[in-house]
Amino acid sequence: MERIRKNKVLLYLLISVFLLLIVFILGLLIGKYKISILSFLNILTGQENVNITDKTVIMNIRLPRTIVAGLVGIGLAVSGLIYQEVFQNKLVSPDFLGVSSGAGVGACIAIIIGITGIGICFFSFGFGILAMILTLLLSKSFRNNSPTILLLSGIIVSGLMDALISFIKFLADSDNQLGEITYWLLGSFSKVTIKEVYLIFPIVFICIITLFLIRWRINIVSLGKEAAENKGLNYNIYMLLIIIVITILTSVSVSFCGIVGWIGLVVPQIVRLLVGRNTVKSILLTILVGAIFMIICDIVSRTFTFSEIPLSAVTGFLGTPIFIAILFIKRGNIYD
């Protein structure tokens, strides 16, 4: 029976790798500017007689944004999976602990004071980390180590950060700054360049490797403090390590694309339907499905209308029916 389960997981992984490869290629081919398959193959094989415009579009525009879309999808999906496991709540997503809202505040402040480009990402990342620190300090002030208290603290901090975003939007110049703030908050990969790839890749890679190496311990932490300590695991140390790594992962993901929902909620649910609740088995599949989902969202956002559809709208349109379908499959009980 165990061998059948392992073979099933391996099959899902192989299918996901194949789908990711297909979706990645489509991300380079599909857009408002049409590129033929022949031209794409010539560029891929390094032929000399290639269309310069086609090569520029693929290498300078679509390749960086497709890579970043995949990395952001990985970051948000894995963050959602781990959050749901360690907090024993299938409805938790990366924005529950104030990180996404904090990142939004950082971006708004950067835009208000005139910082542009990669500077917005740095401000967003920093304030995302700051929001999580505030959540931890608030939860500690209650002198209660329950995961529920940490979640409630995150909701409080999220509410505060959302209020700050509203206040900053009120102060913003309506002719220029307000539009830019709104556009950033809605989510987009339109301004991504190869510089962003060099910045986000090592951070996501290190965080994912760290989580992968402690995946067995994540399973034990998800059993609760008492059960984990009975098994000889230092619950507080590993819980803090997991929260720090996931906070960095979430914050860097949000800083490059804006506040995007549903990825961290829906993708872990899809993976659990396929392989069950076991971080050891589910983390690799979550990485692949998260990347596939976000690249598809990016393709949709930049293809079907004259101007780009905000990512938050696309993820909502795709995520809602998927989540409803999961509820029907689970017969309305998401905790099964």
Side-chain angles (χ1 to χ4, degrees), residues 13 74 78 81-82 207-215 218 271 275 278-289:
L13 286 172
I74 290 168
V78 172
L81 174 74
I82 306 301
C207 289
I208 293 298
I209 290 296
T210 303
L211 293 171
F212 184 78
L213 291 175
I214 63 170
R215 62 195 186 280
I218 293 172
V271 172
V275 298
N278 185 340
T279 309
V280 175
K281 296 178 181 178
S282 61
I283 191 167
L284 279 175
L285 194 57
T286 302
I287 289 169
L288 295 168
V289 177

Side-chain angles (χ1 to χ4, degrees), residues 173-198:
D173 175 17
S174 59
D175 292 331
N176 299 306
Q177 295 173 338
L178 184 59
E180 189 174 353
I181 287 171
T182 303
Y183 184 76
W184 189 94
L185 292 173
L186 289 173
S188 174
F189 291 114
S190 61
K191 296 182 180 179
V192 166
T193 64
I194 198 66
K195 291 179 181 178
E196 279 76 18
V197 175
Y198 294 142

Side-chain angles (χ1 to χ4, degrees), residues 105-116 119-120 123 127 168 171-173 177 180-181:
V105 170
C108 291
I109 291 173
I111 292 168
I112 283 287
I113 63 179
I115 294 173
T116 58
I120 296 176
F123 261 72
F127 273 81
I168 294 169
L171 295 176
D173 175 17
Q177 295 173 338
E180 189 174 353
I181 287 171

Side-chain angles (χ1 to χ4, degrees), residues 121-170:
C121 296
F122 281 116
F123 261 72
S124 176
F125 177 76
F127 273 81
I129 300 294
L130 203 61
M132 189 62 217
I133 292 172
L134 185 58
T135 298
L136 288 173
L137 291 174
L138 182 61
S139 67
K140 287 293 181 184
S141 69
F142 292 112
R143 297 180 181 178
N144 186 328
N145 293 324
S146 168
T148 304
I149 292 296
L150 186 58
L151 275 177
L152 291 174
S153 300
I155 291 170
I156 292 168
V157 172
S158 289
L160 174 62
M161 294 299 163
D162 288 338
L164 284 173
I165 289 173
S166 298
F167 183 67
I168 294 169
K169 288 170 75 174
F170 170 74

